[in-house]
Structures are given as C-alpha cells and as structure tokens.
C-alpha cells in the first residue's frame, strides 16, 4: 500500500464539477492499493500518515503531525501509484489490486482515519477527479508499507 502525501495549505477534489472533498491545512493523501494489501497494511500506513511529523513547530522544525496542527486529510484514490515503470515507455498496472479490493481498502483507510479522530475528506473512488492543492513548502513524501 502506497501513500504519496503532500503538506498543503488547502486542497480540494471535484468530480463532474462538484466538490466532493475540501480541506484547509493538512495532508493530501494520494492512496494506491497493490495486490496483497490488506487491512493490517492499511492500518500500518494510516498510523504512519497520521503520525508523520512534517509540520513545523515553534522553532520552524518539522516536528508536528497532522493532528497536532489541527489539520485534516484529503484522501484520493490513485491506482497509478502501483504502476511498474521499470520497462518501456508505457506503465504496467499488473501490480495494482483488483478494483473491488482496492475500493474496499480505500474505504477502510478513510473510515479508520475518521474513527481515529482525524477530519477526513475524500474524492470518489474510480472517478475522473480534478485535484487542486496549494503545496506548503513544497513538502511531499512517498510512504509504502
């Protein structure tokens, strides 16, 4: 399971002109699900995402996590993160989870984030989404479990 996280001042996602999720300060989480991923991996990745200390403290050091700055998550499914780009000029998606499994684990990740008290907004699984963000830093990290 993969999360590309970006520290944002604001972000939103629209589907067919409708905003499906919007946040102020927090993390844009692009979430990719791979074959073999399960709830245990989702829990481990969520723990890492929500605990990752990439927000500045009073001394300007990256020392605070999203909850410590009263931030939110915007979680967007992105199967392209599971692409194999090692050969040729066209990505292969054979390592990605079956869409039904990916959607189940995406929904699980979102539900667990909310259960853990992190305000969480979403895109729409498998939709053609338009994502806007104001990357703060820029600060972007690739997390994989």
């Amino acid at each position: 399971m993969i999360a590309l996280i970006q520290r944002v001042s604001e972000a939103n996602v629209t589907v067919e002109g409708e905003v499906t999720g919007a946040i102020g300060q927090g993390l844009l989480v692009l979430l990719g699900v791979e074959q073999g991923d399960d709830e245990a991996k989702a829990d481990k990745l969520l723990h890492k995402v929500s605990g990752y200390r990439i927000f500045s403290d009073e001394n300007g050091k990256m020392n605070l996590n999203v909850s410590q700055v009263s931030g939110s998550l915007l979680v967007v499914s992105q199967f392209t993160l599971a692409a194999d780009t090692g050969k040729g000029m066209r990505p292969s998606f054979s390592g990605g989870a079956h869409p039904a499994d990916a959607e189940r684990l995406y929904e699980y990740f979102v539900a667990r984030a909310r259960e853990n008290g992190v305000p969480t907004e979403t895109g729409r699984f498998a939709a053609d989404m338009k994502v806007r963000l104001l990357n703060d830093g820029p600060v972007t990290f690739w997390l994989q479990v």
Side-chain angles (χ1 to χ4, degrees), residues 4 7 13 22 25 59 63 65 76 82 102 109 120:
L4 181 73
R7 186 178 75 187
V13 61
Q25 180 182 33
N59 297 315
N63 213 19
N65 65 40
V76 177
F109 184 94
T120 303

Side-chain angles (χ1 to χ4, degrees), residues 1-3 13-15 20-22 28-34 37-43 45-46 73-79 81 97-115 120-127 129 131:
M1 193 165 235
I2 302 164
V13 61
T14 60
V15 177
T20 62
L28 171 62
V29 181
L30 303 175
L31 188 67
V33 183
E34 300 174 288
D37 286 345
D38 57 16
E39 288 80 359
K41 283 189 175 183
D43 286 336
L45 185 60
L46 177 60
L73 302 179
L74 176 57
V75 183
V76 177
S77 63
Q78 187 160 0
F79 78 96
L81 290 175
H98 183 276
D101 294 330
E103 183 173 16
R104 177 180 54 80
L105 288 171
Y106 168 78
E107 296 294 343
Y108 177 84
F109 184 94
V110 169
R112 294 288 290 149
R114 289 174 175 156
E115 288 170 12
T120 303
E121 297 285 323
T122 67
R124 188 174 300 151
F125 187 85
M129 296 175 275
V131 180

